Amino acid sequence: MIRLFAVIERDLKKFQRNPVVLAMSLLMPLIYLVILGNSFQGKLTDLPVAVVDQDAGPHAKRVMENLRAIEAGPKTFSLMPMKDMQEAIAGVKEGRYKAAVVIPVDFSKKVTLQARPEVGLFLDNPDSISSEMIRNLLNAALLSIRSGYVPIRERADEVHLRDINLFPKVDYYQSLVPGVVIMAIFLGVLTTGAFNLVMDRFLGIDESYLLTPLSKSHIVSGLMISGLLITTAIAAVILVVSMLITGIPLSRGVVQIVPLFIVVVLTTLCLLGLMFVILGRAAHPRIVGVLSGFLNVILFFPSGAVYPIASFPGWLKTFAKINPEAYAVHALKSLLFKNASMASISGDILFLAFFTVVTMTLSILTFKRTL
Amino acid sequence: MEKAKAIAVSEITKTFGSLTAVDHVSFDVGQGEFFGFLGPNGAGKTTLIRILTTLLKPTSGNAIVSGCDVLKEPADVRKQIGVVPQAMTSDLDLTGYENMDLYGRFYGIHAGDRKERIRYLLDMVGLSQRANDLVATYSGGMRRRLEIARVLVHRPRLLFLDEPTIGLDPQSKHVVWDFLGRLIEGDSMTIFLTTHYMEEAEILCGRVAIIDSGKIIAIGSPTELKANIPGNDIVSLVVANLAVERIAAIERLSFVHKVIAEENSLRVYVDNGAKNLTLLIDDVRASGGTVLSATVHEQSLEDVFIHYTGKSIREEEAKKVSFLIGAGIPQKFGR
């Protein structure tokens, strides 16, 4: 035990002497929350759309009113009324507008005559997300002008949808919290555990402890435990701070902290183990750099933190089944937003524990005790 | 009665791909000996030390270190030895004391013993004043002294030092030599040292093995090794206009044992160099040559090396790819 503690203490001391890394590990996930929250916003707003009304007839006015209603209400787009159609199209081509809507000269006449009236829509189609959104909204706006008047009273035979939220309402920022916590864990794991092994090897310092009676498991588990301590501490701070920022309540009180903590610890161990298996024999920090960017993308995006796993294609769903971050996100979401009990996340816990045992065993087995 | 063996090496060979770093090497080191491995960089010294200290597995052959088999009982070997690798291996982010303390704990030494021992050793290497400073602030010489002190924390009976003075200035070098000299006097410790400095081997070692291209070419005490060289002095001459066939004639002179010619310089192994120098110069002149400079010196291990390999250690060094090994840079070769 004296040996294991020495390995742990060495690593913790070295981390402590490098406060910049600690500050960055704490700050960066929170910046993620702010940047991700604002760049990925759940709904689209303020898309610039040029409108050219060449008709100016009564029906064209109706279309314009509907468009303005959208501009004022959901604020999906902001309208730029223009005179010249060519200029509007050029604006889309140059990227100043996301779309140009052209109401042709004979529009109102054709509506009255029911002679297939058309409205032109020029789209910045490579930006598929905003194009799709504008097309759908415009279709809706055009549909409603077909009926000559707006019904004042609701019709009795109309079917209504009444949606009932099973869980307390979760806003977009709050929904990002599990992902941000996973990011924090990932960052912590990157700068501890196997990374220190690679650095020691790169600096040639590993020789000094490989020459001592330390066993494989002393070295591997010592580095893992210090990595676990540091990473869990960082993740816990991030979890608490981001819950406070976004206003997620502890619905079950302090008791809820226990399962949250268990998920954080197990996720950390999984990722530490994974890094150890992959980096166990690496000798250059550049490998860690390349790998970390890659791993972050392939583990984080298919984790369900930003997009529902159910919408993934089959092969990606299969990958999500072995992705520890997917289980971690599911467990955190259940605990934070669905008031879940330990029992309902036992599947996640089991997988994370299993993954930990497998990677830890592999790490110790594949660790080379010689140079 | 034969002394107990601290190290017994039999037929060790290590190859890296097509390169044979250590080639069928066998030798013994007795208990309490100060044994030196002398050879140019790239001769296989570090590879051999890594095999003896369990960091590398030999391609063939075996060694018994401190009574334990390096292949079958590497953990037992590690418990009994102390190793100062060639590269600086102390942790820059930790203080000198912390470096030593952690090392002591790696060996399972308990707090009380540790504290006392570390204070004693730091004092011995003159680092007591700087014990609580980060190693990052130490000079190369201080780091080296710390690393030698660190390896003594667990009182090893056998100490391996791989080029302990490489990259140190002459003053720091002498401090380390002084310290190593005192070590062997005090305890009944065995020391195995590799070096490419002749002077270091001559000052410190009781017995020396000369290694070149992975093979041991001579082994014995510095005095014995020097006794093997013909003559007792060496005359170095720089000449001009000397016909090559005249060299054989010089070799036939009664007081000359051997001549090694390299371009316009001659190394002449002679008896009583001071007396015979003028005769030698006369002979060169008589053959139509001009003597540009002449020096006489007593034989050293350098001459032993030249005698056995026909080239000087410095030339050997120049030929090696120097980026592989440099002072203070971790030696990645062989990983």
Side-chain angles (χ1 to χ4, degrees), chain A residues 165-194:
Chain A
N165 287 326
L166 284 170
F167 303 107
K169 207 170 161 2
V170 174
D171 74 25
Y172 180 63
Y173 273 97
Q174 291 173 331
S175 75
L176 291 176
V177 170
V180 168
V181 172
I182 300 294
M183 283 279 190
I185 294 176
F186 187 81
L187 275 177
V189 165
L190 266 189
T191 49
T192 58

Side-chain angles (χ1 to χ4, degrees), chain A residues 47-320:
Chain A
L47 302 172
V49 172
V51 196
V52 184
D53 182 4
Q54 297 173 329
D55 181 43
H59 290 288
K61 283 205 176 97
R62 285 285 304 280
V63 173
M64 289 302 286
E65 273 163 26
N66 284 344
L67 291 179
R68 284 204 192 90
I70 295 168
E71 188 186 22
K75 295 197 172 77
T76 310
F77 43 68
S78 53
L79 297 174
M80 312 281 167
M82 299 185 75
K83 290 262 150 52
D84 183 10
M85 180 175 87
Q86 292 311 324
E87 201 187 325
I89 294 169
V92 177
K93 280 187 178 158
E94 286 158 18
R96 273 179 283 137
Y97 313 119
K98 285 290 165 194
V101 179
V102 179
I103 306 170
V105 188
D106 51 357
F107 177 71
S108 294
K109 205 164 100 194
K110 278 191 173 169
V111 174
T112 321
L113 294 173
Q114 300 200 343
R116 294 184 57 83
E118 280 179 335
V119 169
L121 175 62
F122 300 87
L123 283 169
D124 177 12
N125 58 299
D127 184 354
S128 55
I129 295 175
S130 60
S131 300
E132 192 67 15
M133 189 72 187
I134 293 169
R135 182 186 287 119
N136 290 340
L137 281 172
L138 217 66
N139 266 330
L142 294 175
L143 266 181
S144 67
I145 67 155
R146 248 193 345 198
S147 43
Y149 59 94
V150 182
I152 294 165
R153 239 183 294 164
E154 283 182 25
R155 286 169 57 177
D157 59 349
E158 211 167 284
V159 179
H160 283 273
L161 190 65
R162 195 205 303 174
D163 51 347
I164 300 134
N165 287 326
L166 284 170
F167 303 107
K169 207 170 161 2
V170 174
D171 74 25
Y172 180 63
Y173 273 97
Q174 291 173 331
S175 75
L176 291 176
V177 170
V180 168
V181 172
I182 300 294
M183 283 279 190
I185 294 176
F186 187 81
L187 275 177
V189 165
L190 266 189
T191 49
T192 58
F195 175 74
N196 289 335
L197 188 72
V198 177
M199 270 322 275
D200 282 347
R201 215 171 260 158
F202 177 66
L203 296 172
I205 288 176
D206 61 332
E207 204 170 338
S208 72
Y209 55 80
L210 290 179
L211 286 163
T212 68
L214 291 177
S215 67
K216 274 185 183 190
S217 45
H218 281 137
I219 299 172
V220 176
S221 45
L223 285 172
M224 291 233 195
I225 292 171
S226 67
L228 177 67
L229 293 174
I230 294 167
T231 307
T232 332
I234 293 172
V237 172
I238 295 296
L239 177 62
V240 170
V241 172
S242 54
M243 281 173 81
L244 288 174
I245 293 179
T246 59
I248 301 175
L250 276 180
S251 44
R252 287 190 177 205
V254 189
V255 198
Q256 211 184 348
I257 290 173
V258 179
L260 278 172
F261 188 73
I262 292 173
V263 172
V264 167
V265 166
L266 280 175
T267 310
T268 307
L269 283 173
C270 276
L271 294 180
L272 278 170
L274 183 66
M275 293 303 270
F276 242 99
V277 171
I278 300 174
L279 294 172
R281 298 195 172 189
H284 203 294
R286 203 171 282 161
I287 298 174
V288 186
V290 171
L291 198 78
S292 59
F294 173 73
L295 276 184
N296 193 18
V297 170
I298 69 155
L299 295 179
F300 185 71
F301 286 97
S303 72
V306 275
Y307 206 73
I309 291 175
S311 311
F312 291 171
W315 60 271
L316 196 56
K317 269 185 201 161
T318 314
F319 177 73

